[in-house]
Structure formats: structure tokens, C-alpha cells
Amino acid sequence: PIPTTHPLPEPAMKTETRGDTLVVSGVQNLGADQAPYLRELVGSALLPDQRCIEVDLADTTFIDSEGLGALV
């Protein structure tokens, strides 16, 4: 589990490694309340040899400006 000061999303975002890519999935809502968690999740899961980050937004139903900022 990743220690965080932010509430966990439901269902929780998760990460997996595919070669040199960190893949984030389970992103349903990416608003101001979840953007800091996404940043922490990626920051703590990213390995030194990973060159790419892929965020699967297939299940995403909401993104606000904070969420867009977290993606950038």
C-alpha cells in the first residue's frame, strides 16, 4: 500500500509495470480531490529505469482542471 495523506479513490487506482512503462488504471474520477493522490501514486511507483507513464482513462467519467494538471 502507498502511504498517502489524501483519500483513496473508489475503486482504488492501481499501477503495473510493462517494460519501461508505468501503467495507471482504475481512474474513474480525476478531480481536485483525487489529483494529489494520482501524483503521489505515480511518484512512489515510478522506477528509475521507466521512461513512460500511461494512464488508462477508459473508465474515467469526470476530469476537472486539477485532474488535467495532474496528467501533465
Side-chain angles (χ1 to χ4, degrees), residues 2-9 13 24 27 29-45 64-71:
I2 295 174
T4 181
T5 56
H6 305 286
L8 294 177
M13 294 178 207
V24 182
V27 182
N29 293 304
L30 190 53
D33 57 335
Q34 299 303 327
Y37 176 76
L38 176 64
R39 286 187 191 100
E40 286 183 20
L41 178 70
V42 170
S44 64
D64 69 7
S65 60
E66 290 287 327
L68 287 174
L71 292 172

Side-chain angles (χ1 to χ4, degrees), residues 1-69:
I2 295 174
T4 181
T5 56
H6 305 286
L8 294 177
E10 289 297 333
M13 294 178 207
K14 57 188 172 189
T15 62
E16 74 176 272
T17 298
R18 293 185 197 152
D20 66 350
T21 302
L22 175 69
V23 180
V24 182
S25 60
V27 182
Q28 290 188 343
N29 293 304
L30 190 53
D33 57 335
Q34 299 303 327
Y37 176 76
L38 176 64
R39 286 187 191 100
E40 286 183 20
L41 178 70
V42 170
S44 64
L46 194 62
L47 301 174
D49 62 340
Q50 289 177 315
R51 300 184 55 181
C52 302
I53 301 169
E54 177 182 315
V55 181
D56 181 353
L57 299 176
D59 296 327
T60 306
T61 58
F62 176 80
I63 300 177
D64 69 7
S65 60
E66 290 287 327
L68 287 174

